[in-house]
């Protein structure tokens, strides 16, 4: 698939412009610097997204079969989660939390040889309760892996 993730979103997804507030620009150099201080090697796909919109929200279009929604964590939010939800890194070490939907956290992680996008309740972060979604952010958002074709999970 060519083009950036946001230029290649699955046809059932849309950027929720009306939910993003008045500032929809990219992360600043200072924000990226702070992120890299704590996470020297963040996922490239996360970096691609925040270099366009640091406060991105994506949802399924009205009338689609499967509901998808998430709010991308800005670089400062990713770092703040280390303090706010310190147990996440204890229970799921090495994971990179990049988005949320209410009390659900989305992260890149690896469990039993399966690396990719997972989601888990913030209050119960355990691999037992973490659901594998897709091998990458691109596969999830552009190809619909993990939601558009439930039979292929």
């Amino acid at each position: 698939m060519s083009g950036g993730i946001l230029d290649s979103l699955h046809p059932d997804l849309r950027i929720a412009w009306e939910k993003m507030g008045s500032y929809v620009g990219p992360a600043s150099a200072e924000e990226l610097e702070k992120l890299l201080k704590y996470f020297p090697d963040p996922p490239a796909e996360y970096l691609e997204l925040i270099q366009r919109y640091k406060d991105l929200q994506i949802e399924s279009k009205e009338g689609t079969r499967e509901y998808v929604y998430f709010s991308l964590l800005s670089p400062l939010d990713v770092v703040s989660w280390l303090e706010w939800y310190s147990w996440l890194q204890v229970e799921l070490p090495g994971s990179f939390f990049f988005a949320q939907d209410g009390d659900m956290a989305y992260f890149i992680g690896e469990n039993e040889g399966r690396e990719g996008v997972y989601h888990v309740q913030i209050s119960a972060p355990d691999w037992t309760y973490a659901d594998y979604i897709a091998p990458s952010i691109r596969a999830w958002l552009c190809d619909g892996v993990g939601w558009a074709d439930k039979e292929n999970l």
Side-chain angles (χ1 to χ4, degrees):
M1 178 171 292
S2 61
I5 292 170
L6 296 177
D7 298 321
S8 304
L9 282 178
H10 189 279
D12 287 347
L13 296 179
R14 71 181 200 89
I15 296 173
W17 297 106
E18 71 283 359
K19 296 179 180 178
M20 291 171 45
S22 59
Y23 181 74
V24 294
S28 69
E30 294 80 20
E31 291 169 314
L32 288 173
E33 184 178 317
K34 187 165 186 178
L35 175 72
L36 294 173
K37 178 180 174 187
Y38 291 93
F39 297 97
D41 192 25
E45 292 173 326
Y46 171 77
L47 291 176
E48 177 187 333
L49 293 173
I50 63 165
Q51 287 173 345
R52 289 212 28 210
Y53 305 110
K54 71 173 183 178
D55 295 315
L56 181 67
Q57 294 188 39
I58 292 180
E59 67 183 0
S60 48
K61 293 179 180 174
E62 194 170 320
T64 57
R65 184 174 64 112
E66 293 295 327
Y67 176 73
V68 174
Y69 172 81
F70 78 88
S71 178
L72 188 72
L73 297 176
S74 72
L76 296 181
D77 286 340
V78 169
V79 171
S80 293
W81 273 40
L82 293 172
E83 180 182 334
W84 297 340
Y85 307 116
S86 59
W87 60 89
L88 293 176
Q89 287 296 325
V90 172
E91 298 297 327
L92 303 166
S95 297
F96 182 84
F97 291 84
F98 69 91
Q100 81 177 100
D101 174 11
D103 65 348
M104 297 297 290
Y106 292 88
F107 64 97
I108 301 289
E110 187 273 322
N111 184 39
E112 298 180 352
R114 197 171 200 190
E115 185 174 353
V117 178
Y118 289 81
H119 71 115
V120 70
Q121 283 192 343
I122 293 170
S123 62
D126 184 287
W127 284 114
T128 305
Y129 306 111
D131 294 319
Y132 177 81
I133 299 175
S136 66
I137 295 172
R138 176 179 289 280
W140 180 40
L141 297 180
C142 300
D143 302 331
V145 175
W147 62 274
D149 185 1
K150 291 282 192 174
E151 292 79 42
N152 289 333
L153 289 177

